[in-house]
Amino acid sequence: MHPRNPTRPIFVGDSRTGIIQIGGGIALDHPLASGLTTPHPIAPVSVQTMTAGYTHTIDQCVAEVHKLTSAGADIVRVAVPEKKDTEALKEILAQTTVPIVADVHFHFKRALEAIEAGVHKIRLNPGNITDRAQVEQVIDACKERSIPIRVGVNEGSIIERKDKQARAKELGAIFGNNKHGYMMAIMIAKLEEYLDIFYERDFYDIAISAKSMDAALVIDAYTEISKRFAHPLHLGVTHAGPKETGCIRSVVALGTLLANGIGDTIRISYANDPIYEVEDGLELLYTLGKRERIGAELIACPTCGRIQVDLFTLVQEVNDKLVEDITVPMKVAVMGCVVNGPGEAEGADVAVFAGDRKGIIYVQGEKVATVSEDDILDRLLDECKSFQSKVLNGEVKLGEKKVDIVPPDPLGELGSGWEKMAASRMGHTPLTIEGE
Ligand code: SF4
């Protein structure tokens, strides 16, 4: 895992919403550190999403922002394609508790109206506002109010879109030999061109995005951009598709970049409820160790021919309940049997090992109950809640004791026949599983 790239930080939000820092770590003598007087250590990677509903339907928009905030979104973006959307912003900002970004395309006046309404950040693709003076007006208005701007050179917005012949010609040149090479060259050239407009006006509170629907291009483009520009990077695979495939595209691209120290804020985008973008974005960061986990981490076996309970249903129910009830980052394991379970659940604070319509529940290595399949869910959750209380009271520490299973006797306390199961899997390996 590479250390994060240092960048000039930007700050999004106000005293009411709290301020989210994006990026950081730039040396004060760096040319881009103009105006910074104190060092800002690199901030944790933040998670963004965007509302799916209309911004001008204020109540629905506020409800959606609240839902996304509760799911863990650090920043929420809203589209402002029409004046009625920017007119709604003031009321939305008053009723929400998370920094709001106005998503502006084509109409610079929407940006000015959003700034006037008090929005916390502007997303602007200078490529689709053709009049430079209009872009300059937006920059000056943001500078006056210390509002940062995300400059996008996303694949879809840097190619001429109004003139089909020009687009075809440009695409021909781009894809002629090396798709990624040409596209990256255009992205970087456009970025340099756009950033010059900002720098000329002494404006540096900038984040950069260079999204594409092609995950490999996203990796290549952001990698090149991170070498050239010390601004925070907003990562994303745009138009990633439905959640099922979009998740893989996004996680491959964003996970690769983040593991290489590239990226300061992320948005996973799905053709689905944006709450999944937040959940999956957070899980990606937890998995990479880029954010401190909030809530339980569920370990579950994939099941196999040894399974003797309805584990898929149990895992889903446990997952849903843990999200509702558990806030401390305890590890919870739901395993289908005791053959592989103990090893795979190593480090779990609370674990259940299922057998023939039964489950044995362990808390930090100590067996606390053997219950019927029907009672596994409730008892496991009771144990998780009780363990959480002890953690919060300082009576126990997370991960302090490992799961230490002494298997049932050969008849099988679980009724699944330990000796038979172990022999079928491990041949002549001795039956005893030693704990850590
Ligand atoms: S824990 Fe048991 S049931 Fe689950 S996959 Fe492993 S061997 Fe199969």
Side-chain angles (χ1 to χ4, degrees):
M1 197 72 75
H2 289 257
R4 292 263 305 282
N5 281 355
T7 57
R8 179 192 169 100
I10 60 169
F11 302 91
V12 188
D14 56 33
S15 56
R16 205 178 56 77
T17 61
I19 293 174
I20 301 290
Q21 180 186 323
I22 302 177
I26 195 168
L28 289 180
D29 59 358
H30 191 285
L32 266 189
S34 168
L36 293 180
T37 51
T38 52
H40 294 277
I42 299 179
V45 179
S46 51
V47 171
Q48 307 198 19
T49 187
M50 190 169 178
T51 53
Y54 295 119
T55 304
H56 60 261
T57 56
I58 294 175
D59 290 347
Q60 286 96 323
C61 184
V62 167
E64 195 177 6
V65 172
H66 283 320
K67 185 179 81 165
L68 298 169
T69 309
S70 300
D74 299 302
I75 296 168
V76 176
R77 183 156 44 112
V78 298
V80 288
E82 298 182 54
K83 195 161 194 291
K84 59 185 175 184
D85 297 306
T86 47
E87 284 171 350
L89 270 181
K90 206 163 191 171
E91 191 55 42
I92 291 165
L93 287 162
Q95 293 186 44
T96 51
T97 56
V98 70
I100 300 287
V101 183
D103 190 71
V104 177
H105 283 282
F106 305 110
H107 303 291
F108 81 108
K109 282 197 175 155
R110 298 293 93 78
L112 297 178
E113 291 155 8
I115 294 161
E116 185 60 35
V119 80
H120 302 110
K121 185 179 165 204
I122 294 287
R123 180 267 180 113
L124 199 69
N125 283 353
N128 62 35
I129 298 177
T130 46
D131 186 337
R132 179 169 172 156
Q134 294 178 349
V135 175
E136 289 173 347
Q137 277 191 59
V138 176
I139 295 170
D140 291 348
C142 283
K143 189 172 178 198
E144 200 181 311
R145 292 180 179 239
S146 301
I147 296 173
I149 299 177
R150 166 156 67 101
V151 180
V153 286
N154 298 354
E155 187 180 12
S157 64
I158 58 170
I159 298 169
E160 172 57 52
R161 294 199 288 190
K162 290 173 190 163
D163 182 335
K164 287 203 170 97
Q165 281 190 333
R167 175 174 166 73
K169 199 172 160 200
E170 197 166 2
L171 280 172
I174 290 165
F175 297 117
N177 293 320
N178 180 329
K179 175 185 169 188
H180 290 183
Y182 279 114
M183 185 54 82
M184 281 193 299
I186 288 183
M187 282 176 162
I188 289 166
K190 288 283 180 188
L191 202 45
E192 284 170 349
E193 179 189 322
Y194 298 158
L195 289 178
D196 277 348
I197 306 173
F198 288 77
Y199 295 163
E200 279 172 20
R201 307 195 82 71
D202 205 21
F203 188 96
Y204 302 98
D205 294 332
I206 295 164
I208 293 172
S209 66
K211 300 184 186 180
S212 164
M213 65 199 77
D214 180 332
L217 173 56
V218 167
I219 294 170
D220 289 343
Y222 277 102
T223 301
E224 288 304 314
I225 287 169
S226 74
K227 293 175 191 165
R228 291 171 168 79
F229 308 98
H231 290 294
L233 297 184
H234 169 121
L235 305 185
V237 174
T238 191
H239 306 120
K243 177 172 158 51
E244 292 73 17
T245 48
C247 179
I248 293 169
R249 282 188 199 169
S250 299
V251 166
V252 164
L254 274 51
T256 303
L257 289 164
L258 290 165
N260 286 330
I262 298 166
D264 303 282
T265 185
I266 62 170
R267 187 223 171 169
I268 288 180
S269 48
Y270 294 144
N272 208 318
D273 187 330
I275 200 161
Y276 298 122
E277 302 179 358
V278 180
E279 290 174 357
D280 291 0
L282 283 169
E283 189 57 42
L284 173 59
L285 297 178
Y286 295 151
T287 303
L288 287 169
K290 297 286 182 188
R291 283 277 287 260
E292 210 165 299
R293 183 178 286 278
I294 297 170
E297 179 177 1
L298 181 58
I299 303 160
C301 86
T303 82
C304 70
R306 296 178 183 86
I307 197 76
Q308 291 177 304
V309 296
D310 178 3
L311 200 82
F312 288 167
T313 303
L314 177 63
V315 167
Q316 196 54 56
E317 289 173 345
V318 170
N319 188 51
D320 294 346
K321 292 287 184 187
L322 290 176
V323 168
E324 280 173 25
D325 297 329
I326 302 300
T327 54
V328 305
M330 66 170 73
K331 283 189 180 173
V332 179
V334 179
M335 310 305 283
C337 75
V338 289
V339 172
N340 272 344
E344 289 169 5
E346 184 182 309
D349 297 293
V350 181
V352 60
F353 302 93
D356 185 12
R357 307 293 158 203
K358 293 179 192 164
I360 305 180
I361 295 173
Y362 280 77
V363 177
Q364 287 211 326
E366 196 176 315
K367 186 169 87 173
V368 294
T370 302
V371 296
S372 69
E373 182 177 4
D374 287 345
D375 295 329
I376 291 176
L377 178 64
D378 288 345
R379 184 60 189 261
L380 186 70
L381 290 169
D382 285 348
E383 294 300 338
C384 289
K385 285 190 231 171
S386 152
F387 182 73
Q388 172 167 258
S389 301
K390 287 181 184 164
V391 172
L392 295 174
N393 292 336
E395 295 168 43
V396 293
K397 284 189 186 150
L398 292 168
E400 197 168 42
K401 292 183 203 154
K402 293 182 176 177
V403 172
D404 184 14
I405 304 294
V406 177
D409 62 42
L411 286 177
E413 184 182 348
L414 289 167
S416 46
W418 167 255
E419 191 174 35
K420 194 172 144 198
M421 290 162 65
S424 73
R425 183 175 185 279
M426 297 186 281
H428 298 295
T429 308
L431 287 179
T432 308
I433 290 182
E434 296 294 344
E436 292 296 320

